[in-house]
Amino acid sequence: MLELTSLEGSREVYGRALDFAQQQVRALVERDPGFYPMYTEQGRWRHGKAAWTHWCDGFLPGMMWIFAKRTRDAEWSRLAEEYTTPLEHRKLDRNVHDLGFIFLSTHHRWYRLTGREELNDIVIQAGRTLALRFKKKGEYLSSFMGPESIFIDIMANVGIIFYAAIQTGDRGLMDVAMKHSLTSRRVLVRGDGSSSHEGIYNLETGEFLRQSTQQGWRSDSCWARGLAWAIYGFTSAYKLVRDERFLQTAELCSDYFLEHVPANGVTPMDFDAPVAERRDETSAAAITAAALLRLAKLTPDRAKGMLYDQAARRVLLTLCQPPYLASETPDWEGILKEGIYHLNLNLGVAESVMWGEYFFVEALDRALGPV
């Protein structure tokens, strides 16, 4: 269970970590301009190992947009534009279920800073494209694994469909986003607040067949990053449409996290893995911290809000210091160590992972508050 301790001096710690993040990103773009990394191998971003799926390109420029907003440094804005512009064509990409990750972190942040409507149009189109994955039988958005598969990860992306629906008044888009979210709530979130990575459907009948997993310990276990996606996704859905069912689910999953996470706030890769085989997974902790900071402001229960806020800041304090922050590891190119991409495929194990970097920076941004 998470141990809540004094947060005295935490703002200074967050500020130093954000400075280090800028240092590492600046070094990356100077060392390897135009490169969009996914995970490190022995601390190096450039290597020859597989990507598995193409879903991370928004995270590097997403960090740059956060740096630009906080520092008002024109160079960060220039770099953010440089790394965001080449992604526009992916607004029509039907091969991934991750268009929220790609466009909410980039073009949406760019639009919020500038108000340029053509940027908003790109985000809306990406939302429309993602909605094309919807299966009427079963009422879900299918994962890249196949039309019969639903991932909890998609909850962290469905916000872009909600956003497109709200911006355009398109009831069809809203219906897709609502139905997928309610389906995810029903078939992927368990009664105790744990979550399944994947669900499998019968395509002919639309019948839900079973929970499954691609990355968790077992089909019935709780993969930590999946739980983080659930907390983040249902919190975001509630923020957009204020449906109480989404708040209830976000709080249920958050309470599971608080009850089962180790005292320092860094999740194991899977909460049900045998203790002897557990590995830290900092990206799940970073995603959860970012989500809890948002949920703390949305929940009407003041006591819960204070708990979620304090818990998120406790997690961040741990991540902001070695051995998790790479600030004392010479030649390590990432920001956060001990992330895991895919344990079963031996990809990015005990490494820096680009989504862990992005959500860590997003959490730091939220913890530090308005500029």
Side-chain angles (χ1 to χ4, degrees):
M1 181 177 290
L2 183 68
E3 181 181 278
L4 296 180
T5 57
S6 171
L7 297 174
E8 185 177 354
S10 59
R11 187 173 180 83
E12 290 75 15
V13 175
Y14 303 153
R16 288 195 297 270
L18 193 63
D19 289 344
F20 176 69
Q22 292 179 71
Q23 171 189 316
Q24 295 297 82
V25 171
R26 188 175 289 110
L28 166 62
V29 299
E30 290 175 355
R31 181 176 58 248
D32 205 341
F35 178 49
Y36 296 79
M38 181 176 281
Y39 62 89
T40 61
E41 176 69 14
Q42 297 182 335
R44 304 290 187 273
W45 287 118
R46 176 72 78 168
H47 53 79
K49 296 190 75 172
W52 193 44
T53 177
H54 190 43
W55 63 286
C56 290
D57 289 357
F59 294 135
L60 178 59
M63 286 190 285
M64 295 172 181
W65 285 118
I66 294 173
F67 299 153
K69 180 191 72 170
R70 293 209 69 87
T71 66
R72 307 189 189 282
D73 185 333
E75 180 62 12
W76 278 127
S77 294
R78 184 192 69 78
L79 283 168
E81 291 188 28
E82 180 181 319
Y83 278 76
T84 296
T85 301
L87 304 181
E88 180 180 348
H89 72 282
R90 297 199 64 192
K91 67 188 179 184
L92 301 175
D93 186 349
R94 298 186 61 179
N95 294 317
V96 297
H97 56 247
D98 305 293
L99 296 182
F101 289 147
I102 296 168
F103 288 94
L104 292 178
S105 59
T106 57
H107 291 81
H108 181 54
R109 288 189 177 276
W110 191 357
Y111 169 65
R112 287 170 60 189
L113 285 174
T114 64
R116 288 170 48 187
E117 286 301 327
E118 69 271 22
L119 300 172
N120 200 37
D121 291 342
I122 292 169
V123 180
I124 291 168
Q125 178 56 57
R128 291 190 182 279
T129 300
L130 182 58
L132 296 174
R133 305 190 72 86
F134 188 68
K135 303 300 176 187
K136 291 183 180 179
K137 291 183 179 180
E139 299 186 337
Y140 64 95
L141 297 160
S142 62
S143 84
F144 80 97
M145 291 298 296
E148 75 286 351
S149 167
I150 177 176
F151 272 15
I152 194 64
D153 314 39
I154 301 171
M155 271 309 303
N157 286 275
V158 73
I160 198 169
I161 305 180
F162 277 121
Y163 179 80
I166 292 167
Q167 290 287 302
T168 62
D170 188 323
R171 293 184 179 181
L173 287 177
M174 181 61 72
D175 189 55
V176 164
M178 286 294 298
K179 285 180 175 176
H180 173 81
S181 300
L182 292 172
T183 296
S184 299
R185 179 179 186 262
R186 185 177 68 254
V187 305
L188 296 180
V189 178
R190 307 182 184 111
D192 64 353
S194 65
S195 60
S196 173
H197 181 197
E198 183 182 29
I200 303 297
Y201 276 85
N202 181 315
L203 290 176
E204 292 185 6
T205 66
E207 177 190 3
F208 181 73
L209 299 177
R210 65 186 181 276
Q211 294 184 343
S212 181
T213 190
Q214 295 295 322
Q215 299 196 53
W217 180 253
R218 295 186 311 255
S219 295
D220 62 344
S221 69
C222 185
W223 175 51
R225 193 160 82 242
L227 183 70
W229 293 141
I231 298 170
Y232 194 97
F234 284 106
T235 298
S236 299
Y238 177 69
K239 184 175 188 292
L240 287 164
V241 296
R242 302 294 167 143
D243 188 302
E244 293 292 328
R245 292 170 292 185
F246 301 151
L247 174 64
Q248 180 188 48
T249 306
E251 291 186 346
L252 182 68
C253 293
S254 298
D255 294 345
Y256 181 93
F257 169 84
L258 294 177
E259 184 177 347
H260 291 86
V261 73
N264 69 355
V266 177
T267 63
M269 192 210 75
D270 191 299
F271 286 104
D272 295 300
V275 174
E277 299 185 36
R278 286 192 173 189
R279 291 174 174 269
D280 287 341
E281 216 291 72
T282 55
S283 77
I287 297 161
T288 304
L292 288 175
L293 286 166
R294 172 178 280 170
L295 182 58
K297 293 186 176 181
L298 292 172
T299 179
D301 186 325
R302 292 183 61 187
K304 273 197 169 185
M306 291 177 64
L307 173 62
Y308 294 152
D309 184 82
Q310 294 291 297
R313 293 173 186 276
R314 176 68 184 92
V315 172
L316 274 182
L317 274 182
T318 299
L319 296 179
C320 281
Q321 301 172 76
Y324 300 111
L325 197 72
S327 55
E328 295 181 5
T329 307
D331 300 323
W332 191 278
E333 295 176 358
I335 302 165
L336 273 187
K337 300 170 69 177
E338 300 300 330
I340 296 177
Y341 181 15
H342 202 307
L343 182 63
N344 299 332
L345 297 180
N346 192 32
L347 302 176
V349 179
E351 297 287 347
S352 295
V353 293
M354 191 50 68
W355 56 94
E357 313 280 85
Y358 171 79
F359 286 102
F360 178 55
V361 168
E362 180 176 285
L364 290 172
D365 180 43
R366 287 188 182 152
L368 287 166
V371 181

